[in-house]
Amino acid sequence: MANTQSLIEQLHRIVKDASRVIVDHESLVPFKSDYSSEGTTPLAVVFPITTKEASEILLLANQYKTPVFPRGRGTSLSGGPVPVVEGIIMDSTKWTSTLEIDPNNLIAVASPGVITADIDKAASKHGLMYPPDPSSLDIATIAGNVAENAGGPRGLKYGVTGDYVLGLEIVTPEGKVMKTGGKTMKNVTGYDLTGLITGSEGTLAVVSQVTLKLIPRPKETRTLSATFEDMTLAGNAVSAVLQNGLLPSKLEFIDQACIKAVEKFEPMDLPVFAEALLLAEVDGTGENVQKEIDEIALIFENFGGCVTVAKNETESNRLWKARKLVSPAIKALCSWKLSEDATVPVSQIPAMIKRLKTIGEKYNVPLVVFGHAGDGNLHPNLLLDKEDAGQLERAELAVKEIFQSALELGGTLSGEHGIGMLKSPFLKNEVGETGIDMMRRIKKAWDPNNILNPGKIFSADDNL
Amino acid sequence: MANTQSLIEQLHRIVKDASRVIVDHESLVPFKSDYSSEGTTPLAVVFPITTKEASEILLLANQYKTPVFPRGRGTSLSGGPVPVVEGIIMDSTKWTSTLEIDPNNLIAVASPGVITADIDKAASKHGLMYPPDPSSLDIATIAGNVAENAGGPRGLKYGVTGDYVLGLEIVTPEGKVMKTGGKTMKNVTGYDLTGLITGSEGTLAVVSQVTLKLIPRPKETRTLSATFEDMTLAGNAVSAVLQNGLLPSKLEFIDQACIKAVEKFEPMDLPVFAEALLLAEVDGTGENVQKEIDEIALIFENFGGCVTVAKNETESNRLWKARKLVSPAIKALCSWKLSEDATVPVSQIPAMIKRLKTIGEKYNVPLVVFGHAGDGNLHPNLLLDKEDAGQLERAELAVKEIFQSALELGGTLSGEHGIGMLKSPFLKNEVGETGIDMMRRIKKAWDPNNILNPGKIFSADDNL
């Protein structure tokens, strides 16, 4: 306790502004959770706004052997920023001083707490685009996106966060400041530490500045939706689009349960009798956009889809509204929503969808599926009743089988949510003991005191 | 000596086929060099063709504390595979058993020794493309490309090798076999070891299988060339193309000295009075290709360029021939060609070209410049006389100043050749002491006996 008191005094010494250190219990409580899970109430929350402060906080944490949990807006779906033991939350949300666009080099430089959507907005003023678009982009911080290597619908054509991180300024777990990568499109100077930090879930470094690649903003987009009476045909239609050399900017899938949930949540004449709804967006320039949307429409029709092409932006927004409301609509149906992101090779989408349905029935848990079908990244969601212990137990078994199915079909545990605390028990199934050992070696070499975000990625059982 | 004898016996025990173990001095000599530098004659060259053999060789090397130098075709321009001390060369060129295209998932799987161009050829049969195109693509192995994260002209639009590596099977420095990544487009399961291994120059793992992303093959390409009386205007024209939202598949630059060298090497009526020649290729579908080439032509003309648009493939090949002959042509002018790949942010290309010319004059060394102007990746080449010790000394100072200039302009030591042994003394200037320390920590954690490719990336002086 005396130790905690002294630690907090030291935090106040580093961060002079009292409003940037939280220690009262009531204010600390919200910081024990993210969008997926709950941990322990932290000792303190500190909001650094300079690299120097972040560095000094980590030096202090090493001195006190106290864990530090980096956090953005807490939108993680894998427990990423959740404190699993008592420690300090290092919150980046007040650290927003820098947001610079360099239109001559197609680059953005941002402080860790800058909101992702704000980067794209700033880029758009110069006719540029920052493509990664996780659902949380209006809330989440760029450092959070980097930590999780967040993806979104546009990942199909444009890739994920990591594909746009050219360089980082980071603070190492022991408080040293360094830069990785830079402002050039190509860089092979030593190990790719930029790539190693991206997606390392805050276990290897605190990101203090991000340098991002931007691209010319596509001049036009077109949207179509298609309903399918048969879900497998919808899955086959997705594969067919890609195999025909078409690359929509988005290609999203919603199953019947989601359609019904959205229609209940906000009636909009959705086809509740359809087994699946596909949404595709094409972007680019000139006649190619129209040509590509026509080709996709034709393929969808060949697989029995009933196609609607949006004639203008208003119609396009109306079509996308159904997809955007899926999460809130299914959340309204349950007291506990478990969102997974098992991902498979594109050709296995129909097989995976079938397996997911079977798993839901086998364990008798309400399971709905939506997601980024174009890159094989499905989001099976379990709609659970917090009070129903039996159901929660069955859900746990169902999740285990979902992961197993994804791996059996040549896929991965996580396409975009990360491992965090929720999937760490399953890591071994995908990367094997040697994989975990080699990852742990990096963690130990970089963070000998295990200060940064302990309890994430690796499971306690994996301490090989 | 007795120890070496026993080591060689053990190598024969692992690799039963005697033709896959070289130990006679004369046959060993070629393996002490790559395309850039020379090292020590190795003790033996061994050609594994299975993961098991590669693993056993590394186990043996750890037992004997003998370094292993992984090697492909030896086309490295930074000394990547050169043995700096006595050791075993592990040559992948006979390891070519697997080359599978999975058209349904847009994926290729290849053994380490498969030649890069063969992957693209196999992909093209399915209407697909493997975009990375280092100049050595007809000779180099895919594992060599992965080790160096090789790039090429198409890097501007399509990125480099690392952008296409979805997964690897690797043998760790201690001989353990593991897989990284997989067959999905998105994967955030634990640390991105695929990205860490790619570009690690054979210091962290031996690559035993590569899983690559393919893309739909663009249906059409168009080429134009433009000559400029003023080199700075050519540089500005490159920046203007990108700032106008155009993304050619290639955008190459050749300076006057290169033009003259090519014309001397093989007369083809090149404009020897022009200060610079730009070559652009656009790819895609339909009218957009023509539209884009027209827009580029207009921009080049606005900057004083004299433009020729190829009307057909024959004309296009003729235009590209000048670029392809640059390397052999300048090689013919000197006994020792030193090829650098200092890379700067695109907007700094004119400034970098000016500095390069000044450096050549200052140190009185013949310096020519060509390269991938579109992504800021220039190749200043020093044309040296092996016998002229004074010139070699001046060249060393010139190279130092080239690196310094790239860094001062916000660039990097290496855009695509790697650090190897040639640039290791300069690594600290870019990544700093902390950067080197954090890289070395990974190396030590993965390879405690320093078996894999010692003497690369890190300089002996950097042993922090």
Side-chain angles (χ1 to χ4, degrees):
Chain A
M1 200 61 175
N3 208 31
T4 302
Q5 199 45 46
S6 141
L7 175 74
I8 287 166
E9 276 166 25
Q10 293 293 318
L11 283 177
H12 276 292
R13 184 188 53 77
I14 294 167
V15 176
K16 306 250 166 359
D17 175 355
S19 75
R20 292 197 281 112
V21 182
I22 295 179
V23 289
D24 71 290
H25 185 78
E26 203 179 325
S27 310
L28 288 175
V29 169
F31 291 90
K32 70 181 190 181
S33 312
D34 67 358
Y35 274 29
S36 73
S37 25
E38 203 175 287
T40 307
T41 306
L43 298 171
V45 179
V46 57
F47 300 81
I49 56 168
T50 66
T51 306
K52 188 165 174 280
E53 286 177 354
S55 162
E56 287 181 8
I57 292 164
L58 281 164
L59 282 169
L60 181 73
N62 275 276
Q63 197 185 322
Y64 281 76
K65 303 279 183 289
T66 301
V68 171
F69 299 94
R71 182 182 175 98
R73 297 260 164 198
T75 57
S76 167
L77 292 169
S78 58
V82 170
V84 292
V85 291
E86 275 198 340
I88 304 163
I89 298 263
M90 195 192 284
D91 186 304
S92 71
T93 57
K94 294 181 196 266
W95 192 348
T96 57
S97 44
T98 301
L99 174 52
E100 290 163 10
I101 306 293
D102 173 354
N104 293 332
N105 290 305
L106 288 76
I107 279 172
V109 178
S111 296
V114 171
I115 289 172
T116 304
D118 289 344
I119 297 171
D120 187 43
K121 269 178 221 155
S124 75
K125 287 182 193 155
H126 301 272
L128 299 172
M129 176 162 85
Y130 173 67
D133 58 346
S135 313
S136 57
L137 86 169
D138 288 319
I139 318 166
T141 63
I142 186 63
N145 281 188
V146 169
E148 300 293 333
N149 194 10
R154 278 195 200 130
L156 172 59
K157 179 168 181 177
Y158 292 109
V160 294
T161 304
D163 295 310
Y164 294 86
V165 184
L166 293 177
L168 296 171
E169 183 192 77
I170 60 168
V171 187
T172 71
E174 294 171 301
K176 287 198 176 166
V177 179
M178 61 176 280
K179 294 197 177 200
T180 73
K183 288 195 164 196
T184 57
M185 296 300 143
K186 285 157 124 181
N187 182 322
V188 291
T189 297
Y191 299 154
D192 179 11
L193 299 184
T194 310
L196 179 65
I197 301 303
T198 305
S200 67
E201 306 191 12
T203 64
L204 294 179
V206 165
V207 170
S208 51
Q209 192 170 71
V210 184
T211 301
L212 299 163
K213 181 169 99 168
L214 304 173
I215 62 166
R217 204 168 192 90
K219 293 187 177 73
E220 291 159 52
T221 61
R222 292 296 301 274
T223 298
L224 67 72
S225 80
T227 57
F228 292 81
E229 284 185 21
D230 182 300
M231 183 151 52
T232 308
L233 286 178
N236 291 338
V238 168
S239 289
V241 165
L242 301 171
Q243 282 156 28
N244 275 276
L246 297 161
L247 198 56
S249 46
K250 302 177 185 173
L251 185 40
E252 300 284 300
F253 168 88
I254 305 172
D255 78 352
Q256 189 171 33
C258 291
I259 299 172
K260 284 183 176 167
V262 172
E263 187 62 22
K264 191 177 163 194
F265 189 73
E266 188 172 324
M268 55 172 92
D269 260 340
L270 289 177
V272 290
F273 299 107
E275 273 197 7
L277 178 70
L278 289 179
L279 279 158
E281 181 189 274
V282 167
D283 66 8
T285 318
E287 69 165 14
N288 277 22
V289 178
Q290 184 60 45
K291 214 174 130 191
E292 210 172 321
I293 206 95
D294 289 346
E295 287 183 57
I296 294 172
L298 193 65
I299 291 170
F300 282 180
E301 282 167 358
N302 286 344
F303 283 87
C306 176
V307 175
T308 311
V309 180
K311 290 192 193 67
N312 50 45
E313 211 184 318
T314 315
E315 277 191 38
S316 162
N317 289 340
R318 196 178 53 79
L319 294 179
W320 279 109
K321 196 174 178 187
R323 170 68 181 85
K324 283 191 180 140
L325 288 178
V326 168
S327 261
I330 59 176
K331 217 169 182 173
L333 292 178
C334 62
S335 59
W336 181 249
K337 177 173 81 83
L338 200 57
S339 172
E340 289 306 340
D341 68 327
T343 301
V344 293
V346 174
S347 69
Q348 300 287 13
I349 290 172
M352 186 65 185
I353 290 174
K354 258 192 206 161
R355 287 212 189 193
L356 289 170
K357 290 289 158 187
T358 311
I359 291 168
E361 285 157 18
K362 177 174 168 189
Y363 294 101
N364 186 25
V365 283
L367 184 152
V368 305
V369 188
F370 64 97
H372 321 307
D375 51 23
N377 183 188
L378 297 171
H379 291 306
N381 273 245
L382 307 184
L383 312 185
L384 306 172
D385 177 355
K386 257 187 178 170
E387 313 299 320
D388 184 345
Q391 191 197 49
L392 293 180
E393 254 174 55
R394 296 198 306 279
E396 211 167 292
L397 295 171
V399 165
K400 211 169 165 177
E401 202 162 320
I402 290 172
F403 292 147
Q404 197 50 39
S405 296
L407 294 180
E408 279 169 19
L409 294 173
T412 177
L413 293 177
S414 179
E416 59 181 19
H417 293 172
I419 297 302
M421 43 194 280
L422 293 181
K423 280 174 238 174
S424 60
F426 305 98
L427 182 64
K428 202 190 290 178
N429 302 358
E430 180 166 342
V431 306
E433 286 197 2
T434 304
I436 290 181
D437 174 34
M438 299 315 273
M439 289 183 193
R440 269 196 188 275
R441 289 189 193 197
I442 297 173
K443 172 66 175 167
K444 279 184 190 162
W446 275 48
D447 188 7
N449 295 322
N450 200 22
I451 294 298
L452 264 185
N453 215 7
K456 307 303 162 59
I457 300 181
F458 308 107
S459 158
D461 305 336
D462 289 333
N463 210 336
L464 302 166
Chain B
M1 200 60 175
N3 207 33
T4 302
Q5 199 47 45
S6 142
L7 175 74
I8 287 165
E9 277 166 23
Q10 293 293 318
L11 283 176
H12 276 291
R13 183 188 53 78
I14 295 167
V15 177
K16 305 249 167 358
D17 174 356
S19 76
R20 293 197 280 112
V21 183
I22 295 179
V23 289
D24 71 288
H25 185 78
E26 203 179 325
S27 309
L28 288 174
V29 169
F31 291 90
K32 70 181 191 181
S33 312
D34 67 359
Y35 275 30
S36 73
S37 25
E38 202 176 288
T40 307
T41 305
L43 297 171
V45 179
V46 57
F47 300 81
I49 56 169
T50 65
T51 306
K52 188 166 174 280
E53 286 178 352
S55 162
E56 286 180 8
I57 293 164
L58 281 164
L59 284 169
L60 181 74
N62 275 275
Q63 197 185 323
Y64 281 76
K65 303 279 183 291
T66 302
V68 171
F69 300 94
R71 183 183 175 98
R73 295 262 164 199
T75 57
S76 167
L77 292 169
S78 58
V82 170
V84 293
V85 291
E86 275 197 342
I88 304 163
I89 298 263
M90 195 192 283
D91 186 305
S92 71
T93 58
K94 293 180 196 267
W95 192 347
T96 56
S97 43
T98 302
L99 174 53
E100 291 164 10
I101 305 294
D102 174 353
N104 293 332
N105 290 306
L106 288 76
I107 279 172
V109 178
S111 295
V114 170
I115 289 172
T116 303
D118 290 345
I119 297 171
D120 188 44
K121 268 177 222 155
S124 74
K125 286 179 194 156
H126 301 271
L128 299 172
M129 174 162 87
Y130 173 66
D133 58 345
S135 313
S136 57
L137 86 169
D138 288 319
I139 319 166
T141 63
I142 187 63
N145 282 188
V146 170
E148 300 293 333
N149 193 10
R154 278 195 200 129
L156 171 59
K157 181 169 181 176
Y158 293 108
V160 296
T161 305
D163 296 310
Y164 294 85
V165 184
L166 292 177
L168 296 171
E169 182 191 78
I170 60 169
V171 187
T172 71
E174 294 171 301
K176 289 201 174 163
V177 178
M178 62 176 279
K179 293 198 176 198
T180 73
K183 287 193 163 196
T184 57
M185 297 299 142
K186 284 158 125 182
N187 182 321
V188 291
T189 298
Y191 299 154
D192 179 11
L193 299 185
T194 310
L196 179 65
I197 302 304
T198 305
S200 68
E201 306 190 13
T203 63
L204 294 180
V206 165
V207 170
S208 52
Q209 192 171 71
V210 184
T211 302
L212 299 165
K213 179 169 102 170
L214 305 173
I215 63 167
R217 204 169 193 89
K219 294 186 177 74
E220 291 159 52
T221 60
R222 293 295 301 275
T223 298
L224 68 72
S225 81
T227 57
F228 292 81
E229 283 186 22
D230 182 302
M231 181 150 54
T232 308
L233 286 177
N236 292 337
V238 168
S239 289
V241 164
L242 301 170
Q243 283 156 26
N244 275 276
L246 297 161
L247 198 56
S249 46
K250 301 178 186 173
L251 184 40
E252 300 284 298
F253 167 88
I254 305 172
D255 77 352
Q256 190 172 34
C258 292
I259 300 172
K260 285 182 175 170
V262 172
E263 188 61 23
K264 192 178 164 194
F265 188 73
E266 190 173 322
M268 56 173 88
D269 261 341
L270 288 177
V272 290
F273 300 108
E275 273 196 7
L277 178 70
L278 291 178
L279 279 158
E281 181 190 273
V282 167
D283 67 9
T285 318
E287 71 166 14
N288 277 21
V289 178
Q290 184 60 47
K291 214 174 130 190
E292 210 171 322
I293 206 96
D294 289 345
E295 286 183 59
I296 294 173
L298 193 64
I299 291 170
F300 282 0
E301 282 168 357
N302 286 344
F303 282 89
C306 177
V307 175
T308 310
V309 180
K311 288 190 193 69
N312 49 46
E313 211 184 319
T314 316
E315 277 191 36
S316 164
N317 289 340
R318 196 178 53 78
L319 293 180
W320 279 110
K321 195 174 178 188
R323 170 68 180 84
K324 283 191 179 139
L325 287 178
V326 168
S327 261
I330 60 176
K331 217 170 182 172
L333 292 178
C334 62
S335 58
W336 181 249
K337 177 173 81 85
L338 200 57
S339 173
E340 291 304 340
D341 68 329
T343 301
V344 293
V346 175
S347 69
Q348 299 289 12
I349 290 171
M352 186 65 184
I353 290 174
K354 257 192 206 164
R355 286 210 188 194
L356 289 170
K357 290 291 159 184
T358 310
I359 291 168
E361 285 158 19
K362 177 174 168 188
Y363 293 101
N364 186 26
V365 283
L367 184 152
V368 306
V369 189
F370 64 97
H372 321 307
D375 51 23
N377 184 189
L378 297 172
H379 291 307
N381 273 247
L382 307 185
L383 313 184
L384 306 174
D385 177 356
K386 258 186 178 169
E387 313 299 320
D388 185 345
Q391 191 198 48
L392 293 181
E393 254 175 55
R394 294 198 307 277
E396 210 168 293
L397 294 171
V399 165
K400 211 169 164 178
E401 201 162 321
I402 290 172
F403 293 146
Q404 196 50 40
S405 295
L407 295 179
E408 281 170 15
L409 294 172
T412 175
L413 293 176
S414 179
E416 59 182 18
H417 293 172
I419 297 302
M421 45 195 278
L422 293 182
K423 279 174 239 172
S424 60
F426 304 99
L427 182 63
K428 200 190 292 179
N429 301 355
E430 180 166 342
V431 306
E433 286 196 2
T434 304
I436 290 180
D437 174 35
M438 299 315 274
M439 289 183 194
R440 269 195 187 275
R441 289 189 193 196
I442 297 172
K443 172 66 173 167
K444 280 185 190 163
W446 276 48
D447 188 7
N449 293 323
N450 200 23
I451 294 298
L452 264 185
N453 215 7
K456 307 304 162 59
I457 301 181
F458 308 105
S459 159
D461 305 336
D462 290 332
N463 211 334
L464 301 166

